[in-house]
Amino acid sequence: LLAHHVNGLKALALPEWHPAVEAAAAGRLTNVAFATTAGGLDLASLEVSGKKKAGSAMVGIDDKVCTITIAGEAAPVEVVSPVSGRILEVNRRLLEDPNLLAGPEGYLVIFASTRAECKLVRHADFRPSDPSPATDVATRPGAGTETQT
């Protein structure tokens, strides 16, 4: 789910039907690990400052943003970026309490997108090949939706 703000920023969160959000609502998330960019920048330690947003991390469409671990599931869920742009903020509260993902504070990252380019998919397009809760829907068609706020 990519929420757009009128100031041009975008917040990446997972929709309520996503297996990781359902697991978070049940208190079954054990870890949210933010990715390291191709340039070697650890997103969890991102420190952005100034008008030009020094320290932000560039990402492209389908670059890994984070990995979510669900208790009792063998495979973690990888979440990828639906837009290209700069990550300005990561939700560090998820590092301490991954189950916040199911609540109103459950966004993953805040983007400043430099282009209108976006991977737009709909819930109706979601057709998992593996219906288990650990299905990696973030890299499949239907993994995210786009909304206006």
Side-chain angles (χ1 to χ4, degrees):
L1 179 68
L2 190 63
H4 295 260
H5 192 273
V6 294
N7 64 9
L9 298 181
K10 297 162 183 66
L12 176 64
L14 298 177
E16 63 186 28
W17 50 265
H18 192 283
V21 175
E22 291 173 351
R28 295 182 41 232
L29 292 189
T30 59
N31 188 41
V32 173
F34 289 98
T36 301
T37 66
L41 179 62
D42 178 15
L43 293 179
S45 63
L46 194 67
E47 293 291 334
V48 178
S49 63
K51 188 174 182 176
K52 294 186 179 183
K53 307 301 182 204
S56 61
M58 293 297 295
V59 293
I61 293 177
D62 290 332
D63 284 354
K64 186 164 78 168
V65 172
C66 69
T67 302
I68 301 170
T69 307
I70 302 172
E73 298 295 331
V77 176
E78 288 190 350
V79 179
V80 297
S81 175
V83 297
S84 60
R86 295 181 297 166
I87 293 181
L88 303 179
E89 178 183 329
V90 299
N91 188 352
R92 288 190 182 98
R93 291 173 287 197
L94 295 174
L95 298 173
E96 295 175 19
D97 186 2
N99 293 304
L100 287 175
L101 192 64
E105 297 179 4
Y107 73 94
L108 295 166
V109 296
I110 303 292
F111 287 100
S113 184
T114 55
R115 299 183 193 144
E117 184 180 25
C118 180
K119 183 168 123 179
L120 179 63
V121 289
R122 301 169 296 153
H123 176 55
D125 295 332
F126 174 63
R127 303 281 187 266
S129 59
D130 175 10
S132 71
T135 299
D136 180 5
V137 298
T139 58
R140 300 181 190 282
T145 58
E146 188 171 7
T147 60
Q148 291 284 347
T149 56

